[in-house]
Amino acid sequence: MRLLFLGDIVGRPGRKAVIDALPGLRRRYALDFVIINGENAAGGFGITEAILEELIAAGADVVTLGNHAFDQKEALVFIERHERLIRPINYPQGTPGRGATLLKSAGGAEVLVINAMGRIFMPELDCPFRAIDAEITACRLKQGADAIVIDFHAEATSEKQAMGYFVDGRASAVIGTHTHAPTADERVLPSGTAFISDVGMCGDYNSVLGMDVEEPISRFLTKIPRQRFEPARGPATLSGLAVEIDDKTGLAVRCGALRMGPNLEPAEPAFWAA
Ligand SMILES: [Fe+2]
Ligand SMILES: [Fe+2]
């Protein structure tokens, strides 16, 4: 099975890049399943129902979220209607929406996608390790699901790497999101889980984390917020992780970075290029 995960979409440039490229990518690479983090899709903050529907129409199977999940208040309501939109599973009990979803891929495989949030330099949610453990114990790889993909939305690389090894051999992939800067440590862990500390963003990299540089610099210099953070308006670069999953075991065979666009060195997974 061929899976593509794209990192946090930031604002209109990120949405445009994804919507323009995704149908072609699905065809070119014969993708079975596509997951996108959409927590910054609406002007950099949260997601609206109209944007969610655009992303699904463009070819996203699942859209994940993070600490910005509910920045657009309408998400508190419409999230209940959409099985393809998930927010971190370790929010307190009673939070609207779901933290995991089980859906069929293009080829008919059952894919369990889980979103969780780290706790280092982040809002203190419930324990993400215990929440994920409970989920992948209730729905085991090759028993309840043909593939299990975890979007671990966290700041600290230590917490992300610990999560990778915690579920190694029990999930197909653990993909880090949230920092908006891709790391170069993608690999398949010893027991078969594909891993990257952070997949990066789909946004304008000529920016500070996708935002126009002026306000972030001013806040570092003066400590006074002067205006809203606005997404940088230049063309966005797609940043993702390609994962090849063994249909028999549900574990990863290979993974590789996919980066397309200006301001970032391009990357194409060699095992898909042919
Ligand atoms: Fe983000
Ligand atoms: Fe985030």
Side-chain angles (χ1 to χ4, degrees):
M1 175 169 128
R2 289 179 160 198
L3 174 122
L4 177 66
F5 187 106
L6 293 173
D8 308 31
I9 294 178
V10 183
R12 187 184 299 271
R15 294 192 323 260
K16 181 176 172 10
V18 167
I19 288 165
D20 288 352
L22 192 52
L25 290 174
R26 279 205 84 122
R27 276 194 305 275
R28 171 150 42 117
Y29 296 127
L31 298 176
D32 295 297
F33 207 80
V34 175
I35 305 168
I36 310 179
N37 187 296
E39 71 149 2
N40 309 106
F45 298 92
I47 189 163
T48 63
E49 189 167 31
I51 290 173
L52 172 70
E53 284 169 351
E54 271 186 335
L55 296 175
I56 291 169
D61 289 289
V62 175
V63 175
T64 56
L65 294 166
N67 52 308
H68 292 292
F70 300 111
D71 286 1
Q72 304 293 325
K73 295 300 168 231
E74 63 170 280
L76 289 162
V77 177
F78 77 76
I79 196 169
E80 297 284 0
R81 297 197 276 271
H82 291 278
E83 60 175 3
R84 295 186 185 277
L85 178 66
I86 58 174
R87 46 80 178 159
I89 195 167
N90 49 333
Y91 268 108
Q93 246 188 355
T95 302
R98 67 212 85 194
T101 192
L102 183 66
L103 291 166
K104 264 204 182 7
S105 75
E110 298 273 0
V111 184
L112 175 67
V113 185
I114 311 170
N115 189 192
M117 200 152 93
R119 295 195 293 185
I120 300 176
F121 306 128
M122 304 281 286
E124 280 277 322
L125 302 187
D126 296 344
C127 175
F129 290 86
R130 288 182 176 82
I132 284 180
D133 190 53
E135 192 64 31
I136 64 176
T137 302
C139 183
R140 285 179 197 275
L141 197 56
K142 293 319 286 181
Q143 293 175 21
D146 297 302
I148 298 176
V149 182
I150 299 167
D151 170 352
F152 191 34
H153 195 79
E155 183 76 42
T157 46
S158 60
E159 197 178 17
K160 291 171 169 179
Q161 291 177 12
M163 182 64 79
Y165 286 96
F166 179 62
V167 304
D168 186 18
R170 300 192 288 156
S172 316
V174 171
I175 296 168
T177 57
H178 174 68
T179 72
H180 294 197
T183 56
D185 62 344
E186 71 272 14
R187 61 197 186 275
V188 176
L189 302 180
S191 298
T193 298
F195 176 81
I196 188 167
S197 291
D198 206 292
V199 73
M201 66 171 172
C202 296
D204 178 4
Y205 277 84
N206 194 13
S207 67
V208 176
L209 310 186
M211 297 295 165
D212 186 75
V213 302
E214 207 169 300
E215 178 63 13
I217 292 171
S218 159
R219 287 201 200 180
F220 280 114
L221 285 170
T222 67
K223 301 292 168 190
I224 299 166
R226 284 170 203 274
Q227 53 193 43
R228 279 172 45 94
F229 289 123
E230 293 287 349
R233 279 187 289 273
T237 295
L238 294 190
S239 194
L241 188 73
V243 186
E244 190 89 38
I245 298 168
D246 186 320
D247 294 336
K248 283 197 204 70
T249 63
L251 293 168
V253 184
R254 297 175 269 257
C255 67
L258 177 80
R259 290 182 203 126
M260 284 172 45
N263 307 320
L264 202 63
E265 288 302 319
E268 185 180 18
F271 54 92
W272 281 3

